[in-house]
Every structure is written in C-alpha cells, then in structure tokens.
Amino acid sequence: MLDHGAAPPTAEHSEAGPRAQAPGSQRLGPRGLSSRLLRRKPVELLVAEGGQGEGGNLRRSLGMWQLTMISIGATLGTGIFVVLGEAVPDAGPAVIVSFVIAGLTALFSALSYAELAGTIPVSGSSYSYAYATLGELVAWVCGWCLILEYGVSVAAVAVGWGQYLNELLDGTLGVTIPDALAAPPGDGGLFNLPALLVVLLAMAFLLGGAKESARANTIMVGVKIAALVLFCAVAFTGIRAGNYTPFMPLGMAGVSAAGATLFFSYIGFDAASTAGEEAKNPQRDLPRAIMLSLVIVTALYCLVAAVAVGALPWKRFAGSEAALAGIMKDVTGQSFWAVLLAAGAVVAIASVVLTVLYGQTRILFAMSRDGLVPKVFSRVHPGSGVPRANTVIVSLFCGVLAAAIPLGQLADATSIGTLFAFALVNIAVIVLRRTRPTMERTFRVPLAPLFPLVGLGLCLWMMGSLDRVTWMVFGVWMAVGLVLYFAYGMRRSRLATAEK
C-alpha cells in the first residue's frame, strides 16, 4: 500500500528479517544482545497490523477536518491559557520571541512528522517510526518519552483547568473551590479535585468512541478560538507601549528558557499522528492536518502573547495560571469579560485534556500490540472499537498525577520528553530516506537531510535550556524505563518471540 515499487522487506531492510512476512510465521535462531536491541520492525508489517487489537479492531472514522481539530484541540490553549504565566517571568515581553522559537522548532519537527505519518500511518507515532528505523531499544526509549510527554501534559493542563474553573465560579456564583481542594501539595493545597474531574470527564468521552470524541472536540475547538479572538479584541484596547520595554529584560537566556517551557504547548500535531489507525485516508490526510494545525496554532499563540504582554506589565504575570482572565478584568474594569473568557478557557483546556489523553492511550495501544507493555493496553472492545481498559487505566493515572503535582514541574518534565521524541523523529526521517529511498511518500521534507538536521539541532538546543532539576527527573525516568525494558519488554516483544 505504501511502497508499490519497492521489494518486500528483507534482512537488509530490517533486523526482523523474514518475520516481516507475518507475526510469528518463522522462527529465527539465537541472536546476540546488540542484534536484539537493534532489531527493527518492517514498515509493511507496521502498516498491515494497523487497527488490530486484542479481541477487536479500531475503527477508521476520522477525516482530515477531524484530524486537524484533534491537532488544534491538543495544542491550542495549553501555552496561552495555562503556561503563559510561567513563561513571561522568564522572558519578559520577549515571550513573543519565545513562542516564535518554540514554533520554529516545532515546524522543523512537524515536517519530519508529516513525512513519516504519511509513510507509516499507525497509532504509535514517533515510537513506531523509531521501531522501523532505529531499532527496538531506541523505539522503547522513544515510547517511554511519549508516555512522559502525553501522560504528564494531561496532568499539567488539568491543573490549569482548575484555575479557570475557579475564575468562572467566582464570577458567576460568587464562590470558589477551597484552596485545600483546588491546588496540589506544594501549591497551598491538599488535593486538586478539579484537575481530577476534568480528566475523568475526558475519559467518559473517549469511552464513547473515537468519532464521538472527535465531534465533541470540534465543538470545543470552535469555542476556544472564539474565546481567544474575543480576548485579543478586548485586551487590545488596554495595550500600553511602555509594557514592551525593556523588551528582553533577562537576555537571550531567559528567552530560550521560556521557549523550552513553551515547547510543551506544541505537542498537538504529534497527537494527530497517533490517530493513524482511525483515519479514513491517513496517507493523504495526516500530513495535511499536521501542517495546517501548526500554522493556525502558532499564529494565534503569537498574536495573543503580543496583546497580553502589551496590556499587562510582565512582572505581574508571576504565579498566575489564569493570566488572560485577569487581563480582561484589568482592562475593562468589569468582571463580565473575564467571566466570559474563563468560560471559554474551561472548554478550551478540557479539549486539550481530551485529545492528549486520546494520544496517550493510542501510543500504549501500539506498544502493547508489539509486546513491549502488557496486553491489557491493546485489548479493544468489539462493540465500541475502543481500548477501554487502556483508557480507564491511563485516565486514573493522569488524574491522580494532576491532583498531586504542581504545574511548573509538570510542564518542564513534559517539554524534555517531547523534545527528545521529536529529535528521534528527525533522525528517523534521515535513516528511512537512506534505507528505503524508493518507498512511496505522500509528503516529503524539503531540503532533506538539512531540515531534519536543523530540527534535531533545535531540539537539542532547547533541551539544553531546561534546568538541572528537569534533567535529573528525566534521567531518573529514563533509568526506570530501561529497567522495565530489560526486565519485561526485551523478552516479551513480538519480534523476540518470533526469534525463539
């Protein structure tokens, strides 16, 4: 389907060799440790297994418009509604430049994602791309990073949702959720109940099916775009030229640090690639949805950031996780506009939780089908076409995480996992171009390998901008992942069982 003119996969093309013919169809002899770690899964096999789960199959029901809305739903809102208050104190008014830097970094990686999503249209996203090009160990590391990226970002966004919910309740009913139940330990509370509730709400939508979830997400995306356009129109009247000076008070180091944090906001196009096995025409629609969503999101991010820092002195952003609602109230002197924006933000951030949680479940689905994580994650309900147990387990984990961990720590941990996975995708494009040059590609990265190398370099640069604590957390996460791989995944992977 993807490689009409290429020969069937051979040992030259894949470490899996003859196993590409069918899972378990041929037993291979013992192999050395390095060969086992570098075994690759043929592209043809990845595509042939698309949609297949334990006990049932995923359903192809998503068109290009729905895929684009999944991308925008997972992306638009996180950086503006939630993380802006964390990034502005680092960069000052130059947070606009930080958004541009993060957007350019995302763009180069998005080009690589678009090529691979059209060539290998499966649910595993960059995990599957790495499995086909860089080998099983690297694929596991990539998948482990994606678990960090998606699972933790769901929790991070859910934390911010609670802040806007309080703004909405205060403006409409005159009540707020007590701090003890609206903030995690370390932020003045005991348990973030709203964060848990929004994750459980997203879980309920996902259990209804991919098509139904996509329909709800499309409505929520429309609401969030309307809310941001309203903010720009109202806050524009409060812009003061003096708020833009000094433009870069903390220097380029502050701008790059803010950019690394804000990169957390650009994982939406990655979420679209996780829908490869539920898209009607993934080879055509995934590359288009990825690029279109990134352009729309970056333009809105930069516009809203420019208006926000012009309407509010940058030093007043510190500690605010509902900054836009506060700006609306300051500019107009009325609570009505802030309440209206808070209502839009509640809907907007809920759509981010919904779509990113969707992406997390589909990545674990792909890893489970390959045998690297337990089979429960690839078990599909035959009636609904939904991996129900997977969805419930992931939702409960993310909900508890959101209720217990402060936002800033979550956002930075997500950023480093995202950047690492994106770096591997840029490498995978170069490798697949060299090993399978004749493969049919519905989208090609221009100026390859230059653009993928630029994308790789930008990812590494932004990773270097993150603080030491984030790197320590990432190192511990990677160590735990490697222990799990050698103790479980390496011996139980489907490629391993085919070799015995």
Side-chain angles (χ1 to χ4, degrees):
M1 180 169 62
L2 293 178
D3 193 9
H4 302 298
T10 64
E12 178 184 3
H13 291 139
S14 168
E15 292 290 333
R19 190 216 173 271
Q21 299 172 13
S25 63
Q26 185 166 345
R27 302 292 180 180
L28 304 180
R31 311 181 72 182
L33 177 62
S34 62
S35 296
R36 283 184 285 167
L37 298 179
L38 296 175
R39 57 194 168 204
R40 290 174 285 168
K41 189 171 183 179
V43 173
E44 289 79 6
L45 182 57
L46 281 165
V47 175
E49 290 181 347
Q52 299 177 16
E54 294 286 334
N57 297 330
L58 301 177
R59 296 175 179 173
R60 293 195 179 275
S61 59
L62 305 178
M64 194 197 80
W65 177 249
Q66 292 164 312
L67 293 170
T68 304
M69 291 300 103
I70 287 175
S71 288
I72 296 176
T75 311
L76 185 59
T78 308
I80 289 297
F81 286 111
V82 180
V83 187
L84 189 64
E86 299 279 338
V88 172
D90 287 336
V95 72
I96 305 165
V97 179
S98 299
F99 270 114
V100 172
I101 291 173
L104 285 174
T105 304
L107 173 61
F108 284 105
S109 295
L111 291 170
S112 294
Y113 263 101
E115 176 169 325
L116 292 175
T119 307
I120 314 175
V122 293
S123 292
S125 185
S126 52
Y127 154 76
S128 294
Y129 310 153
Y131 212 163
T133 57
L134 303 174
E136 187 173 281
L137 177 61
V138 176
W140 167 266
V141 170
C142 186
W144 193 241
C145 284
L146 290 175
I147 292 172
L148 178 67
E149 171 190 339
Y150 279 86
V152 178
S153 67
V154 167
V157 177
V159 171
W161 186 81
Q163 301 295 324
Y164 276 98
L165 180 63
N166 256 342
E167 289 280 339
L168 180 60
L169 291 174
D170 185 35
T172 55
L173 303 177
V175 299
T176 58
I177 300 171
D179 287 345
L181 296 178
D187 275 1
L190 299 175
F191 191 79
N192 193 328
L193 181 61
L196 175 61
L197 291 178
V198 72
V199 175
L200 295 180
L201 179 64
M203 179 187 74
F205 276 112
L206 291 175
L207 290 175
K211 185 176 181 179
E212 292 74 13
S213 301
R215 185 181 295 118
N217 174 65
T218 298
I219 295 171
M220 289 190 281
V221 168
V223 171
K224 78 167 74 177
I225 291 177
L228 290 174
V229 171
L230 173 67
F231 169 81
C232 290
V234 174
F236 183 80
T237 63
I239 289 179
R240 300 291 181 268
N243 289 339
Y244 292 109
T245 56
F247 184 69
M248 201 179 291
L250 301 176
M252 196 61 199
V255 172
S256 62
T261 297
L262 290 171
F263 193 80
F264 154 83
S265 311
Y266 284 91
I267 67 170
F269 63 85
D270 187 19
S273 70
T274 66
E277 295 177 27
E278 288 161 287
K280 295 177 181 177
N281 190 345
Q283 290 91 343
R284 182 196 67 187
D285 293 342
L286 282 176
R288 295 178 181 180
I290 287 169
M291 300 310 300
L292 179 60
S293 63
L294 185 63
V295 170
I296 293 172
V297 165
T298 302
L300 279 170
Y301 274 167
C302 292
L303 176 62
V304 174
V307 173
V309 295
L312 183 71
W314 69 274
K315 291 183 179 180
R316 291 175 57 186
F317 279 83
S320 175
E321 291 168 357
L324 299 192
I327 291 172
M328 293 279 272
K329 188 181 295 184
D330 288 346
V331 168
T332 63
Q334 302 175 8
S335 61
F336 169 77
W337 295 105
V339 169
L340 197 60
L341 183 75
V346 167
V347 175
I349 297 171
S351 77
V352 178
V353 174
L354 173 66
T355 48
V356 176
L357 190 64
Y358 166 83
Q360 173 71 96
T361 61
R362 271 40 180 189
I363 288 165
L364 280 170
F365 172 85
M367 296 178 71
S368 174
R369 185 171 57 201
D370 291 334
L372 298 181
V373 298
K375 288 184 178 181
V376 65
F377 291 102
S378 58
R379 191 173 299 144
V380 177
H381 188 272
S384 63
V386 173
R388 286 186 174 180
N390 180 343
T391 301
V392 172
I393 293 169
V394 171
S395 299
L396 292 178
F397 172 79
C398 293
V400 172
L401 194 65
I405 307 295
L407 171 65
Q409 296 174 20
L410 290 172
D412 283 348
T414 304
S415 291
I416 196 167
T418 304
L419 287 163
F420 189 83
F422 286 6
L424 291 179
V425 168
N426 285 297
I427 296 172
V429 166
I430 297 171
V431 172
L432 196 62
R433 286 281 191 99
R434 291 180 63 86
T435 58
R436 302 295 299 274
T438 61
M439 177 173 288
E440 180 181 329
R441 291 167 169 84
T442 57
F443 178 87
R444 299 178 71 90
V445 179
L447 300 179
L450 176 61
F451 276 15
L453 288 174
V454 171
L456 172 63
L458 287 171
C459 288
L460 295 177
W461 173 60
M462 296 193 75
M463 288 177 71
S465 299
L466 293 169
D467 60 40
R468 183 179 302 177
V469 173
T470 301
W471 274 98
M472 290 174 62
V473 171
F474 183 65
V476 171
W477 179 261
M478 285 293 99
V480 172
L482 290 173
V483 169
L484 291 176
Y485 171 72
F486 286 107
Y488 183 93
M490 185 176 71
R491 293 181 292 109
R492 293 177 178 262
S493 79
R494 292 182 66 194
L495 293 186
T497 57
E499 294 171 356
K500 294 179 180 178

